[in-house]
């Protein structure tokens, strides 16, 4: 992490106006928090209530009306992975992506796989029941199998240090055990997924991650309530 | 070592054509392998075990999958005729809109063309809303990339060519000059660029394929 003594005049100018719109719990803006924190960049935070979105948020993100939005000198950046690349290209210290084009392509591929396939498949396990849940578990574990193999010989997806793909999968390190607890299903056990289990520990233990993670009890309450909504939808009338 | 570039693709797929367009724009020679997606080759399954899909670019034995990831790889590996700006904000903008096209536009367009009849009007409205965002994004530019074709133009190939073909095949009307004058102008400019033109699947063949696969559409005459 860059020490404050090495902040240059140029960086001060770039840092001039940086605002992050987020919620207290959403994992996607957290990726941006982590990226900025790893690079030692100062920014203002605006907490949104998604049931009552601010006019500023709607102005900056009229298409998706979601967080995160990062506003840099008045210009909005949307979509967490796009924002991460912007941050990496604008502030060069503690790079998130490797330099080699093939390694960058590999990182982008896995981050996308995480969002497009892994997350939805695990969410399905969380919200479904009975036979649907059993099928969801099979799909989720297949996806996790691919992810597990990516960690072969590495501490983090990025190698020795946390990088782009680690931040992209950050939700897995912290939310999964929570969801497992709330819905009573274990997806990642040490025997089947030894590398992922270790990665989860290493990632969750990193100080920046630890410090920024929302309070566990508050998260449990939130997801318990969400699960109740889903189960009541599915319950026979 | 001699450079070896393979591309596994499918003639009608806008995704695989994106890669060909980028390679052509940069003057990169490659070997093309047509995949029958109903009977995937062992090579494809070996190079893309996760998704088992085309396109896959294999550069000196190393595979890259997912069309937008491939486009960025191409731009970072072969620096002539760049398809992305050097400016981080413009790059973020192009990436955002390319993602928007893939995640929102394609399925909305498809629904408007081949969705359920009773949902048709709503589907057209939703697709039109999305196209309006792109219309606004174009502003007064010749291409999304500015003066030359860029990554976003290539990603928007679905809008630039395939959409018109979908409309003809299904009878749906979406990209009208009346509602989207800028997008229509852009589409004409886009398909006129030689690197693009040479990589468009034949219209009649594509129409026949679409009708065969998806039916004649909700509003065909």
């Amino acid at each position: 992490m860059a020490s404050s003594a090495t902040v240059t005049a140029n960086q001060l100018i770039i840092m001039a106006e940086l605002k992050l719109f987020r919620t207290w719990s959403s994992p996607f803006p957290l990726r941006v928090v982590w990226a900025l924190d790893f690079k030692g960049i100062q920014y203002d935070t605006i907490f949104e209530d998604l049931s009552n979105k601010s006019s500023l948020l709607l102005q900056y993100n009229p298409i998706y009306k979601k967080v995160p939005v990062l506003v840099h000198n008045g210009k909005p950046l949307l979509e967490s992975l796009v924002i991460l690349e912007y941050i990496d290209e604008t502030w060069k210290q503690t790079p998130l992506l490797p330099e080699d084009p093939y390694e960058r392509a590999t990182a982008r591929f896995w981050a996308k796989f995480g969002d497009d396939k892994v997350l939805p498949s695990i969410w399905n396990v969380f919200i479904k029941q009975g036979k649907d849940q059993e099928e969801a578990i099979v799909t989720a574990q297949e996806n996790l199998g691919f992810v597990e193999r990516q960690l072969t010989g590495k501490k983090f997806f990025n190698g020795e240090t946390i990088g782009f793909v680690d931040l992209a999968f950050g939700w897995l390190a912290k939310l999964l055990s929570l969801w497992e607890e709330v819905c009573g299903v274990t997806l990642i056990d040490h025997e089947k997924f030894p590398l992922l289990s270790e990665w989860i520990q290493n990632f969750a233990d990193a100080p920046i991650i630890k410090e920024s993670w929302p309070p566990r009890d508050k998260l449990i309450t939130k997801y318990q309530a969400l699960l109740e909504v889903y189960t009541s939808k599915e319950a026979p009338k | 070592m001699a450079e070896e570039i393979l591309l596994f693709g499918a003639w009608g797929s806008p995704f695989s054509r994106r890669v060909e367009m980028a390679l052509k724009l940069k003057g990169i020679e490659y070997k093309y392998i047509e995949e029958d997606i109903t009977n995937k080759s062992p090579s494809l399954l070996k190079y893309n075990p996760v998704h088992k899909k085309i396109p896959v670019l294999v550069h000196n034995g190393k595979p890259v999958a997912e069309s937008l990831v491939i486009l960025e790889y191409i731009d970072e590996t072969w620096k002539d005729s760049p398809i992305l700006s050097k400016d981080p904000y413009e790059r973020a903008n192009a990436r955002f809109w390319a993602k928007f096209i893939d995640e929102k536009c394609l399925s909305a367009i498809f629904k408007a063309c081949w969705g359920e009849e009773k949902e048709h009007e709503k589907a057209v409205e939703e697709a039109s809303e999305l196209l309006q965002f792109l219309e606004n994004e174009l502003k007064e530019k010749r291409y999304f990339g500015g003066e030359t074709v860029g990554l976003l133009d290539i990603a928007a190939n679905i809008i630039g060519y395939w959409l018109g073909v979908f409309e003809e095949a299904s009878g749906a009307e979406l990209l009208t000059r009346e509602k989207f004058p800028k997008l229509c102008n852009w589409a004409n400019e886009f398909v006129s660029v030689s690197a693009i033109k040479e990589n468009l699947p034949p219209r009649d063949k594509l129409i026949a394929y679409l009708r065969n696969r998806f039916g004649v559409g909700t509003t065909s005459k």
Side-chain angles (χ1 to χ4, degrees):
Chain A
M1 195 164 100
S3 76
S4 52
T6 56
V7 167
T8 63
N10 214 36
Q11 283 174 315
L12 279 170
I13 293 165
I14 295 172
M15 275 194 244
E17 199 206 84
L18 199 54
K19 289 187 178 38
L20 174 63
F21 288 77
R22 59 171 290 195
T23 59
W24 72 270
S25 64
S26 170
F28 300 104
L30 270 174
R31 293 169 170 173
V32 182
V33 168
W34 295 331
L36 293 169
D37 287 355
F38 270 112
K39 288 177 181 273
I41 300 160
Q42 306 293 320
Y43 58 99
D44 292 326
T45 300
I46 294 138
F47 283 95
E48 283 285 329
D49 170 4
L50 294 182
S51 64
N52 185 21
K53 294 170 187 177
S54 73
S55 54
L56 254 185
L57 178 67
L58 298 176
Q59 176 197 324
Y60 282 132
N61 192 356
I63 299 180
Y64 296 110
K65 308 176 175 51
K66 279 197 215 170
V67 291
V69 177
L70 184 71
V71 183
H72 188 203
N73 294 329
K75 299 200 281 194
L77 282 312
L78 315 174
E79 294 292 289
S80 58
L81 296 181
V82 174
I83 297 173
L84 251 49
E85 293 223 38
Y86 174 81
I87 290 172
D88 213 34
E89 288 171 1
T90 306
W91 293 277
K92 310 277 190 189
Q93 67 275 27
T94 317
L96 301 172
L97 277 168
E99 273 190 37
D100 172 69
Y102 187 74
E103 288 179 41
R104 292 165 75 86
T106 303
R108 288 174 179 135
F109 174 88
W110 288 107
K112 194 172 196 292
F113 178 69
D115 279 3
D116 289 353
K117 301 282 183 192
V118 183
L119 177 54
S121 67
I122 289 180
W123 185 248
N124 266 342
V125 173
F126 180 66
I127 60 172
K128 293 199 192 272
Q129 286 131 59
K131 191 152 183 289
D132 287 342
Q133 190 183 55
E134 279 167 35
E135 285 172 11
I137 291 172
V138 172
T139 308
Q141 290 190 325
E142 261 170 33
N143 290 336
L144 287 169
F146 285 120
V147 180
E148 168 87 5
R149 286 194 275 291
Q150 279 311 294
L151 283 167
T152 309
K154 295 189 284 189
K155 183 179 182 188
F156 295 107
F157 292 104
N158 194 44
E160 274 307 297
T161 54
I162 288 175
F164 186 76
V165 179
D166 302 280
L167 297 190
F169 276 102
W171 61 270
L172 188 69
K174 299 288 270 183
L175 276 180
L176 183 66
S177 62
L178 219 127
W179 291 344
E180 285 176 331
E181 190 179 314
V182 170
C183 80
V185 174
T186 303
L187 270 179
I188 295 187
D189 68 66
H190 285 73
E191 270 181 52
K192 266 202 202 158
F193 301 101
L195 300 176
L196 258 177
S197 301
E198 214 177 306
W199 173 82
I200 284 173
Q201 203 54 59
N202 287 327
F203 185 85
D205 280 348
I208 283 180
I209 308 301
K210 246 191 183 150
E211 281 159 22
S212 57
W213 192 253
R216 191 183 166 82
D217 49 359
K218 228 179 147 189
L219 283 172
I220 297 241
T221 309
K222 168 186 160 141
Y223 285 108
Q224 266 168 351
L226 251 177
L227 184 59
E228 256 159 65
V229 171
Y230 279 100
T231 40
S232 67
K233 271 192 206 165
E234 309 235 341
K237 311 247 182 309
Chain B
M1 174 171 106
E3 193 121 76
E4 191 203 54
I5 302 158
L6 306 176
L7 175 63
F8 290 81
W11 67 271
S13 158
F15 305 104
S16 107
R17 292 291 184 165
R18 283 173 178 174
V19 180
E20 295 198 86
M21 289 167 183
L23 291 169
K24 195 76 197 204
L25 275 166
K26 288 177 179 268
I28 300 158
E29 304 226 338
Y30 60 98
K31 179 173 169 210
Y32 177 77
I33 296 131
E34 173 72 21
E35 278 288 324
D36 173 1
I37 53 181
T38 63
N39 184 19
K40 294 171 186 180
S41 73
S43 292
L44 178 64
L45 300 178
K46 172 178 90 172
Y47 286 129
N48 192 359
V50 174
H51 299 294
K52 307 176 175 56
K53 282 196 199 171
I54 54 94
V56 181
L57 184 79
V58 185
H59 185 202
N60 294 333
K62 298 203 285 195
V64 186
E66 295 292 293
S67 64
L68 296 181
V69 175
I70 298 172
L71 290 184
E72 294 227 34
Y73 175 78
I74 289 173
D75 206 40
E76 288 174 0
T77 305
W78 293 281
K79 313 259 190 199
D80 282 345
S81 309
I83 56 174
L84 270 173
S85 160
K86 282 195 158 60
D87 172 68
Y89 190 76
E90 286 182 39
R91 293 164 73 87
N93 204 41
R95 287 171 178 140
F96 170 80
W97 288 108
K99 207 168 188 278
F100 169 77
I101 287 169
D102 279 3
E103 289 180 5
K104 301 280 265 187
C105 292
L106 185 54
S107 56
I109 287 168
F110 192 81
K111 231 174 166 185
C113 293
W114 282 286
E116 282 185 44
E117 207 174 313
K118 56 182 165 109
E119 307 249 329
H120 179 70
E121 219 178 287
K122 184 165 171 241
V124 169
E125 209 181 290
E126 281 175 10
S128 299
E129 264 174 38
L130 299 177
L131 289 173
Q132 190 61 51
F133 284 120
L134 288 170
E135 171 87 1
N136 297 342
E137 174 56 22
L138 200 48
K139 301 185 192 79
E140 301 308 318
K141 294 181 288 189
R142 186 174 182 197
Y143 303 106
F144 285 104
E147 278 307 299
T148 53
V149 166
L151 182 136
L152 180 52
D153 298 275
I154 298 172
N157 66 350
I158 295 174
I159 315 287
Y161 180 73
W162 273 260
L163 176 50
V165 180
F166 290 169
E167 287 174 304
E168 196 177 324
S170 70
E173 241 185 25
L174 280 173
L175 192 67
T176 60
R177 180 156 283 284
E178 193 185 12
K179 275 206 231 161
F180 305 107
K182 295 192 179 124
L183 268 180
C184 287
N185 282 338
W186 166 80
N188 287 334
E189 292 269 8
F190 177 70
V191 299
S192 309
V193 174
S194 64
I196 306 299
K197 194 151 76 174
E198 286 166 38
N199 284 302
L200 298 173
R203 204 177 172 89
D204 290 341
K205 193 177 173 195
L206 194 52
I207 289 173
Y209 169 80
L210 290 165
R211 284 191 174 148
N212 192 42
R213 178 129 185 243
F214 301 117
V216 288
T218 331
T219 45
S220 63
K221 294 154 181 98

